[in-house]
Amino acid sequence: MENMQAVNNFVAAYLKKKGFKEAEQLLEDLQNKDSAPIDFHNDPELAKFIHHFSQSEDDVARYQDGYSKLRSWTYSSLDLYKHELLRVLYPVFIHSFMDMVAKGHLQEARTFFNNFREDHELMHSRDLQKLEGVLSQSHLEEMEFARSLRQSKVNIKICQYSYDLLLQYLHKTQSTAMLGVINEHINFQVSSGQPSSISDDAEVVTLIGSCQDTANQINQKEIHWGLLEDSLEERLEKAGGLLSDSEKTEEENKEGDGDETKKRSVESGKQGASTKKLKKEKALNATAKSARPEASTTPAAPRVKAKLPLPLMSTEVEQSILEDLRNRVQLSSVLLPSVSFYTFLNTHNGLNCSSISHDGSLVAGGFSDSSLKVWDMAKLGQQGGSSILQAENDSTSSEHVVGPNGGKRSYTLFQGHSGPVHSATFSPLGDFILSSSADTTIRLWSTKLNANLVCYKGHNYPVWDVQFSPVGHYFASASHDRTARIWSMDRIQPLRIMAGHLSDVDCVQWHANCNYIATGSSDKTVRLWDVQNGECVRIFIGHRSMILSLAMSPDGRYMASGDEDGMIMMWDISSGRCITPLMGHSSCVWTVAFSCEGSLLASGSADCTVKLWDVTTSAKVPRNEEKSGNPNRLRLLKTLATKSTPVYSVQFSRRNLLFAAGALSKNL
Amino acid sequence: MSIVAKETIEVIAQSIGINNLSDDAALSLAPDVEYRMREIMQEAIKCMRHSRRTILTTDDVDGALNLRNVEPVYGFTSGGPLQFKRAIGHRGLFYIDDRDVDLKEVIEAPLPKAPLDTGVACHWLAIEGVQPAIPENAPVGVIAAPSNGNTYEQKDELPVDIKLPVKHVLSRELQLYFDKISELTLRKSDSALFKEALVSLATDSGLHPLVPYFTFFVADEVSRGLNDYSLLFALMRVVWSLLQNPHIHIEPYLHQLMPSVVTCLVSKKLGNRIADNHWELRDFTAKLVALICKRFGHVYNTLQTRLTKTLLNALLDPKRALTQHYGAIQGLAALGPNVVRLLILPNLEPYLRLLEPELLLEKQKNEMKRYEAWRVYGALLRAAGQGIYERLKIFPPLPSPPGHTIWKSKEKVVTAVPNKRKASMEPLEDEPALKKIATDGPIGSSASVTTLASSGENDAGQPSSSEKKTGNRVGKDGQKLKKSAILNQIWKDDLNSGHTLVTLLELLGEGILSFIPSPEMSLFL
């Protein structure tokens, strides 16, 4: 290698002296490629080709010719290596096209594109649709997607033999145009041994804007995905122990006088039946643990400190949450949840989003006529009382306008936005609602006062999504302006701005420990951001279309994301890798949610179904094993079809009752 | 070059008052217009997604224009997706039906009803994972999702079949037709009209709604009319005709049909008079069964296995009547030589041991029983013979050129052989049984006239075959020397069949020989 270096230096010096600038540049380029695992230096032929190529680059017909030859060669190559070689075709195709456009041969580029687009239609139809619009050099500059493609290199994993085959072919046929494209835009990662299996394609084919290397680099960063210290769940476990202890003491001295015991007895009296149930559940839990020792991941989840100052919780609230946790139904693949479905009627195609409070008592809908409507399910039956309450508020609140016949309405109308409401979220306690709108604002509403409290202005474009943090107080928003922002309720300016996505940020979700947020984007990636310093700590690559929904597992370890094509992907947050794609939906996955103990995943889709997936098996099966047998069949537990109602949101209550909501649409 | 034509640009330019737009300008504007349009559509699709819709509306386009700070397009607002119409004579050209509205009419029209206010209804989509059958839920089994032709369908769902009562309306004509056919079948099954009816059943196209009725009719009548030979035969003919009809999908009803068909094959008693030729009915039904297996065997892969199991059980049960055995053998034989080889031949020896006492005059005094036994023996012989014949036919003909000369010298024998074979194959239907009687000596007094006639013919045939055997063996020796190598190759295959053949010969005597092509016979015996 040292020898090589010396020769290179010598040649460089010679070229400089002679004034061969182009060649010198080439040599330098070659040297810079040292980091790549392929050694082009030993290949004088190659250098000659490159040289040749740079001289005769006007010849556009070469692209067409070269590509069609390369294509037919690839299709007739050995089956074993074919799929690896086929991967090369797509980047070569789009880059040839863009090269031709860049050189101003627009007509030829068009014909070229139309001739061969069918080959890639299956995998990359959305990208192709975008590229189809590239009609002049300026478009290349202007279009984000094209620009990022031009700037980055594609990484392709390929085995030694396939690589040799390809090189041999390119040398033999002297197709310099192709060689040039390959050199310029593809970074081969040659691995010795057998060709990789076809199923590994998914990560390879996604061309992202930023260089894959940076993505890898980012994904090296350390992540503390554990749960918060002293969380309620943890307290419950302790309390559970105490409770049983106190029960014992109760039995022993039933007439205990101490304040402590009294308080506890009141508490346990209140729960009367539930303590028994709890015991049963515990026993059930224990058997489950002994049966599947590896399935119980929760106790193993490490604890981390909160990086944000967390809001204090009042004791009553804490008590009610604890009670919910005690009454939680343990779900598993054999014990499926009950699903309560809220159907929006007569929406006249105007419902944009829906949200359900944690206890399911409040349902909110955001409409394209800028209104936000909240239904109180408890009041739905008895309307007399609510009308008075609304009438009172009518006079007090200016922002909140209830029509003259407000008494007849079954819902509370929140008006204030000046554009379609795209997202709404309840605070964990159900006393606040946040809504985001196309008018670039986020508004905070109080469900107690039925009034608008704050209007947060900060985004410059429509705000697609807003989500309260699991502890309340903080919230995150995602916008068309390609940023996600962190806010707190008491400030009208954002606390953090997360920038880095190459296209709209479409959805946002908090990590269970509030230290991270995840964002899904139209650039087909999901990113994980550190809330404290605003840095991107993970990039999840694998989706083939826009990401519409995100969910974090309660143990903080996994994340699920649903996309426009109906694909749901499970990600391991610590490694940044996809554990498994869950296929089954045939249309947009609007929403995903984990059950409270993380054993089930529920997803709602535009194909009018709610699907329940088994997370424990899908998370446990390593990728290479799942090829044997049909993986989807194992994991999809249940498909619940609705009556032509696309499912807009699903959510588990703290007691593991599943709520789902959607708008009845007859014309589907 | 771009999908926006240069002319379009010119037209647009004229519409906004630019009359002298240069060609170059139009040419360079066209691609940019296309690009902008695509850009707006991309944004519009985003707006659509964030409104949780899968159909693009004008609102989305307005939203996208808004994003780009462009004035929205006015006048296209509508609550739902637009209805496009295809321009007649132009593929790919669509337009929105935009009618002139008379303002006067609009003003004078009564106010439309106020749209219903939005509401929320709550129901249980599932209780512990099970969907309750309430009107709010989609009917189970009908997946409401319009599947986009995706290959992965919900196959893994538990098959929950809720059969709704189906209202089935049968036209008056079909009812009449059905009545007429059933009448004919029951009463006048030997009339010419019935034959016409059968043809109609086999060819008419509109009969599918009647299939369930016919299957029920057949099943019903077979179970009631086991004593009525002619009725049974007529019913089987009806089934046969239905099977022939290319316009009928009879598959779903096969499971109702098969029991009655099999009954007609292996029932103990079919018809109540001695004169009833129930053998013929069984033969016919055997052919019918074979036809069904051939046509639907690949659809229901359990069909043939279940059938053969039933038949084999009937055959191997010594307590069953001989008539049942006959039916079973005929049924199996009709299914082809492979079935015979796999199922009958292995059981041949024990079965013959059982049958033997029934055959002999001394042991079985009942004439009727003995006759039945001989029928069974005949069927068995034919089945075995056909099986082995088919088997031997598969082999490549032995290399002939050297053999040819030898055969020529034995011309008489050689020519005699094919004739003989043909003679024995043609009247295959009922001859073997009779022939057997002739060759094995003890002829029952019940033997008919035909038996005597054919025995003479057989007596003549038998010596000739043995003569040929010896003659050929001489020739074969010479041939063997030369072609021993080739022979070794096929020897293994041959050996198997050879063994079978030898056992058959031992079991059935020389009667089997008539089924064996001469060269092979000379080789093995």
Side-chain angles (χ1 to χ4, degrees):
Chain A
M1 205 63 209
E2 268 176 35
N3 213 353
M4 209 56 216
Q5 196 67 42
V7 171
N8 279 335
N9 288 340
F10 180 74
V11 175
Y14 172 77
L15 288 174
K16 206 167 199 166
K17 206 172 90 189
K18 288 279 177 187
F20 291 140
K21 276 201 185 125
E22 209 171 40
E24 191 192 354
Q25 190 61 41
L26 271 171
L27 190 73
E28 223 167 81
D29 283 349
L30 285 177
Q31 274 171 327
N32 291 342
K33 276 186 199 133
D34 243 342
S35 53
I38 324 148
D39 194 13
F40 281 103
H41 304 202
N42 291 329
D43 207 338
E45 285 283 288
L46 209 57
K48 201 180 87 193
F49 280 139
I50 293 163
H51 193 77
H52 183 59
F53 162 69
S54 60
Q55 281 175 341
S56 62
E57 58 191 354
D58 298 331
D59 198 359
V60 171
R62 285 164 170 276
Y63 282 107
Q64 179 115 22
D65 197 40
Y67 180 77
S68 77
K69 272 185 189 156
L70 179 69
R71 178 171 164 273
S72 50
W73 172 78
T74 311
Y75 277 113
S76 60
S77 60
L78 292 175
D79 279 345
L80 190 57
Y81 305 102
K82 195 190 260 177
H83 67 269
E84 284 198 336
L85 294 170
L86 282 175
R87 287 177 203 164
V88 179
L89 278 186
Y90 176 64
V92 170
F93 170 69
I94 54 173
H95 283 291
S96 303
F97 170 67
M98 285 188 289
D99 279 353
M100 285 155 87
V101 173
K103 283 165 193 167
H105 303 273
L106 304 177
Q107 187 66 56
E108 292 88 341
R110 236 325 140 81
T111 7
F112 174 74
F113 189 79
N114 288 333
N115 278 350
F116 298 109
R117 71 174 293 169
E118 265 174 36
D119 296 352
H120 311 288
E121 200 72 51
L122 190 67
M123 300 276 263
H124 309 278
S125 60
R126 282 169 215 281
D127 292 348
L128 292 179
Q129 270 165 20
K130 282 186 191 164
L131 282 177
E132 201 182 5
V134 174
L135 293 164
S136 74
Q137 292 96 317
S138 60
H139 294 160
L140 281 181
E141 298 294 314
E142 200 168 326
M143 190 192 235
E144 192 79 27
F145 178 67
R147 203 168 61 211
S148 61
L149 280 180
R150 298 289 284 173
Q151 281 163 1
S152 65
K153 276 195 165 195
V154 190
N155 275 350
I156 292 184
K157 278 185 202 151
I158 194 168
C159 80
Q160 183 66 48
Y161 186 72
S162 307
Y163 179 66
D164 288 346
L165 276 179
L166 182 66
L167 240 103
Q168 216 175 355
Y169 165 78
L170 291 172
H171 279 214
K172 206 171 64 194
T173 54
Q174 310 235 330
S175 44
T176 47
M178 290 303 106
L179 194 62
V181 172
I182 288 171
N183 256 338
E184 209 172 335
H185 297 290
I186 299 178
N187 195 12
F188 285 107
Q189 294 174 334
V190 183
S191 60
S192 54
Q194 288 302 303
S196 58
S197 60
I198 295 170
S199 65
D200 288 344
D201 270 3
E203 2 178 9
V204 183
V205 292
T206 321
L207 298 161
I208 53 148
S210 68
C211 187
Q212 195 117 15
D213 288 336
T214 47
N216 287 339
Q217 216 169 3
I218 286 169
N219 287 354
Q220 296 303 318
K221 286 182 188 165
E222 197 182 3
I223 277 191
H224 305 284
W225 51 266
L227 297 180
L228 285 183
E229 281 178 337
D230 197 32
S231 69
L232 278 172
E233 272 91 350
E234 205 174 33
R235 263 186 258 175
L236 172 73
E237 279 179 17
K238 283 180 202 158
L242 276 176
L243 197 69
S244 52
D245 281 348
S246 72
E247 257 183 336
K248 267 179 214 162
T249 51
E250 251 177 284
E251 277 166 24
E252 280 164 20
N253 44 352
K254 277 177 184 171
E255 304 291 312
D257 288 333
D259 263 359
E260 269 281 301
T261 11
K262 210 169 188 179
K263 195 176 154 200
R264 293 219 177 275
S265 71
V266 167
E267 192 191 310
S268 58
K270 202 163 59 185
Q271 291 169 359
S274 68
T275 38
K276 263 188 185 172
K277 204 172 162 190
L278 183 73
K279 270 182 170 175
K280 216 186 271 175
E281 275 170 13
K282 285 224 152 183
L284 212 144
N285 213 4
T287 50
K289 273 177 192 170
S290 59
R292 276 190 305 183
E294 79 281 359
S296 57
T297 48
T298 2
R303 302 286 154 177
V304 295
K305 279 207 168 66
K307 292 175 184 170
L308 297 172
L310 295 181
L312 286 172
M313 218 184 278
S314 70
T315 39
E316 299 102 70
V317 171
E318 207 177 301
Q319 287 301 334
S320 77
I321 294 177
L322 277 175
E323 193 185 325
D324 277 345
L325 293 181
R326 285 196 200 97
N327 289 337
R328 178 184 290 171
V329 185
Q330 289 292 321
L331 297 178
S332 68
S333 53
V334 286
L335 196 67
L336 297 176
S338 297
V339 187
S340 174
F341 199 92
Y342 299 120
T343 313
F344 288 82
L345 304 165
N346 307 318
T347 57
H348 311 292
N349 254 331
L351 185 70
N352 285 352
C353 65
S354 71
S355 180
I356 305 157
S357 68
H358 274 269
D359 56 356
S361 64
L362 295 175
V363 185
F367 289 80
S368 54
D369 61 1
S370 317
S371 64
L372 179 72
K373 296 172 186 173
V374 178
W375 282 263
D376 188 338
M377 299 318 282
K379 280 186 200 155
L380 215 58
Q382 25 159 354
Q383 283 183 356
S386 64
S387 66
I388 302 161
L389 209 129
Q390 279 179 354
E392 272 172 28
N393 289 319
D394 207 9
S395 53
T396 53
S397 136
S398 57
E399 294 260 19
H400 155 230
V401 184
V402 179
N405 55 347
K408 280 180 197 164
R409 278 203 187 118
S410 58
Y411 54 84
T412 325
L413 180 67
F414 292 108
Q415 281 184 326
H417 280 298
S418 59
V421 178
H422 285 301
S423 173
T425 174
F426 280 95
S427 71
L429 304 177
D431 46 359
F432 298 109
I433 307 176
L434 278 169
S435 62
S436 74
S437 159
D439 64 5
T440 74
T441 63
I442 302 162
R443 280 173 188 262
L444 179 74
W445 312 82
S446 162
T447 53
K448 297 255 164 65
L449 305 171
N450 286 344
N452 186 206
L453 302 178
V454 194
C455 174
Y456 302 92
K457 293 172 183 170
H459 284 291
N460 306 320
Y461 279 103
V463 188
W464 296 135
D465 196 13
V466 62
Q467 286 294 328
F468 257 114
S469 79
V471 294
H473 190 66
Y474 299 101
F475 59 93
S477 62
S479 165
H480 178 72
D481 63 13
R482 303 182 185 183
T483 63
R485 298 179 191 213
I486 308 278
W487 312 69
S488 72
M489 274 161 62
D490 54 356
R491 278 158 210 259
I492 53 163
Q493 292 298 324
L495 304 176
R496 296 284 181 278
I497 298 179
M498 276 76 171
H501 273 299
L502 299 164
S503 188
D504 301 34
V505 184
D506 293 305
C507 50
V508 65
Q509 193 57 257
W510 287 80
H511 190 267
N513 65 14
C514 295
N515 290 339
Y516 302 98
I517 60 162
T519 54
S521 163
S522 293
D523 66 9
K524 300 167 201 168
T525 62
V526 178
R527 284 173 189 246
L528 194 72
W529 309 82
D530 191 321
V531 168
Q532 186 54 44
N533 55 20
E535 271 179 24
C536 177
V537 286
R538 286 286 180 279
I539 300 180
F540 303 92
I541 300 161
H543 276 290
R544 299 222 176 109
S545 55
M546 166 182 177
I547 287 129
L548 295 169
S549 51
L550 285 169
M552 293 277 194
S553 78
D555 62 1
R557 196 167 183 170
Y558 304 111
M559 182 174 67
S561 57
D563 73 13
E564 217 179 347
D565 293 338
M567 172 110 86
I568 300 170
M569 288 196 147
M570 279 284 282
W571 306 93
D572 186 332
I573 288 178
S574 54
S575 70
R577 292 183 67 96
C578 174
I579 300 164
T580 170
L582 305 169
M583 281 174 285
H585 282 298
S586 57
S587 186
C588 308
V589 181
W590 297 129
T591 171
V592 282
F594 278 96
S595 71
C596 290
E597 77 285 344
S599 60
L600 291 183
L601 179 75
S603 61
S605 158
D607 64 9
C608 302
T609 56
V610 174
K611 284 181 196 273
L612 298 171
W613 310 83
D614 189 358
V615 174
T616 40
T617 53
S618 62
K620 290 295 168 300
V621 181
R623 274 202 81 175
N624 47 2
E625 277 178 34
E626 74 201 29
K627 270 164 252 149
S628 56
N630 194 337
N632 304 324
R633 197 159 288 199
L634 285 172
R635 297 199 189 98
L636 178 60
L637 292 174
K638 190 85 185 171
T639 301
L640 302 167
T642 65
K643 214 172 186 178
S644 61
T645 310
V647 184
Y648 289 0
S649 65
V650 290
Q651 184 171 359
F652 280 94
S653 76
R654 291 198 186 91
R655 300 190 186 194
N656 261 344
L657 178 66
L658 180 60
F659 298 111
L664 183 69
S665 52
K666 296 229 171 64
N667 52 3
L668 268 181
Chain B
M1 147 177 161
S2 79
I3 54 170
V4 180
K6 189 188 73 175
E7 288 74 22
T8 316
I9 303 290
E10 280 162 2
V11 169
I12 294 169
Q14 276 165 21
S15 74
I16 55 169
I18 305 168
N19 283 321
N20 49 352
L21 188 77
S22 72
D23 261 14
D24 285 347
L27 266 179
S28 58
L29 270 175
D32 204 54
V33 167
E34 188 190 340
Y35 180 79
R36 299 299 155 194
M37 267 166 56
R38 283 176 188 277
E39 197 179 6
I40 284 161
M41 287 331 282
Q42 181 189 313
E43 300 303 316
I45 287 168
K46 275 180 196 165
C47 288
M48 170 184 82
R49 292 296 181 216
H50 285 288
S51 299
R52 306 275 193 284
R53 269 184 278 111
T54 45
I55 300 169
L56 198 73
T57 65
T58 47
D59 292 342
D60 298 324
V61 181
D62 282 351
L65 290 170
N66 202 17
L67 280 180
R68 286 276 173 266
N69 275 328
V70 181
E71 183 113 344
V73 183
Y74 297 107
F76 291 95
T77 328
S78 76
L82 292 175
Q83 300 290 328
F84 284 90
K85 289 190 172 177
R86 187 188 290 271
I88 298 162
H90 297 276
R91 293 173 52 123
L93 182 61
F94 297 89
Y95 68 97
I96 302 167
D97 201 15
D98 199 7
R99 271 172 304 162
D100 290 335
V101 180
D102 190 357
L103 271 181
K104 206 179 164 198
E105 256 175 52
V106 175
I107 292 167
E108 282 171 3
L111 281 176
K113 267 188 191 170
L116 290 169
D117 203 0
T118 316
V120 169
C122 180
H123 73 273
W124 289 106
L125 182 64
I127 295 168
E128 294 186 344
V130 183
Q131 280 193 287
I134 49 176
E136 286 91 345
N137 283 336
V140 186
V142 181
I143 304 298
S147 61
N148 300 349
N150 283 4
T151 43
Y152 41 85
E153 271 300 305
Q154 291 86 3
K155 281 175 200 149
D156 37 2
E157 272 184 290
L158 293 173
V160 192
D161 265 5
I162 296 177
K163 276 185 186 148
L164 297 169
V166 183
K167 220 178 226 174
H168 193 80
V169 184
L170 208 58
S171 72
R172 181 137 186 81
E173 292 80 6
L174 281 176
Q175 282 183 36
L176 273 175
Y177 181 88
F178 177 74
D179 288 345
K180 200 86 186 160
I181 296 277
S182 46
E183 169 83 23
L184 275 174
T185 318
L186 292 176
R187 306 264 141 59
K188 296 181 218 151
S189 59
D190 34 1
S191 67
L193 199 58
F194 181 65
K195 286 209 178 82
E196 291 293 316
L198 287 180
V199 172
S200 149
L201 275 179
T203 51
D204 277 3
S205 55
L207 298 180
H208 192 249
L210 283 177
V211 173
Y213 296 91
F214 273 121
T215 47
F216 181 77
F217 170 70
V218 169
D220 201 38
E221 290 301 322
V222 164
S223 62
R224 267 193 297 175
L226 272 180
N227 288 330
D228 192 343
Y229 162 76
S230 57
L231 172 66
L232 289 177
F233 214 124
L235 287 171
M236 286 304 110
R237 279 184 205 276
V238 167
V239 175
W240 178 272
S241 300
L242 285 176
L243 280 171
Q244 298 297 328
N245 195 325
H247 309 288
I248 286 180
H249 297 290
I250 208 165
E251 291 98 315
Y253 305 98
L254 272 184
H255 68 281
Q256 285 179 341
L257 218 47
M258 279 315 277
S260 20
V261 173
V262 175
T263 303
C264 286
L265 184 61
V266 292
S267 177
K268 191 174 173 185
K269 202 158 181 255
L270 296 170
N272 54 356
R273 287 169 300 161
I274 301 170
D276 290 341
N277 190 0
H278 64 91
W279 309 108
E280 199 183 330
L281 174 59
R282 287 176 203 275
D283 289 350
F284 180 77
T285 319
K287 269 194 270 175
L288 185 62
V289 165
L291 177 78
I292 291 173
C293 278
K294 212 171 117 192
R295 260 187 62 184
F296 303 110
H298 60 281
V299 188
Y300 298 109
N301 38 20
T302 55
L303 181 68
Q304 183 155 352
T305 45
R306 272 163 61 191
L307 182 68
T308 47
K309 206 177 274 173
T310 318
L311 294 179
L312 201 63
N313 279 343
L315 177 63
L316 295 182
D317 189 350
K319 287 191 197 79
R320 301 281 176 95
L322 284 169
T323 45
Q324 286 174 292
H325 290 167
Y326 178 83
I329 293 167
Q330 287 293 37
L332 287 171
L335 288 175
N338 276 339
V339 176
V340 171
R341 198 158 44 83
L342 288 172
L343 295 175
I344 296 191
L345 295 191
N347 299 313
L348 198 58
E349 194 178 349
Y351 183 75
L352 278 176
R353 225 176 290 135
L354 266 173
L355 192 64
E356 204 168 0
E358 303 283 326
L359 292 167
L360 298 177
L361 187 62
E362 307 87 65
K363 298 235 175 94
Q364 180 56 271
K365 297 292 186 218
N366 189 332
E367 226 174 76
M368 198 58 210
K369 282 271 175 62
R370 206 167 55 237
Y371 174 67
E372 282 174 0
W374 278 113
R375 275 311 276 244
V376 173
Y377 188 87
L380 204 55
L381 180 67
R382 194 173 54 156
Q386 234 168 4
I388 197 72
Y389 176 73
E390 292 292 329
R391 178 100 188 113
L392 291 175
K393 227 168 55 172
I394 299 168
F395 295 144
L398 285 168
S400 47
H404 229 60
T405 50
I406 300 161
W407 283 4
K408 258 179 196 158
S409 65
K410 307 274 176 197
E411 200 171 17
K412 210 170 96 190
V413 178
V414 179
T415 47
V417 174
N419 283 345
K420 200 254 151 200
R421 214 194 306 168
K422 212 179 280 171
S424 69
M425 292 310 288
E426 270 170 352
L428 206 60
E429 276 303 304
D430 48 1
E431 205 194 5
L434 307 172
K435 183 167 57 186
K436 203 64 242 124
I437 298 165
T439 44
D440 274 19
I443 303 170
S445 53
S446 71
S448 59
V449 187
T450 49
T451 319
L452 292 172
S454 74
S455 77
E457 184 200 50
N458 256 327
D459 280 348
Q462 216 58 47
S464 84
S465 88
S466 59
E467 179 194 1
K468 163 206 70 185
K469 199 162 61 185
T470 48
N472 251 358
R473 196 174 281 158
V474 179
K476 202 55 50 176
D477 283 338
Q479 204 180 340
K480 245 185 199 163
L481 285 173
K482 290 173 193 168
K483 297 288 171 186
S484 60
I486 303 164
L487 277 176
N488 273 339
Q489 276 188 347
I490 43 172
W491 187 246
K492 271 191 189 132
D493 280 348
D494 284 3
L495 203 61
N496 274 340
S497 348
H499 281 310
T500 330
L501 191 55
V502 170
T503 8
L504 278 182
L505 191 69
E506 278 165 11
L507 291 171
L508 295 171
E510 290 191 336
I512 199 75
L513 292 179
S514 53
F515 291 96
I516 296 159
S518 55
E520 284 83 359
M521 178 157 69
S522 59
L523 191 64
F524 295 128
L525 301 178

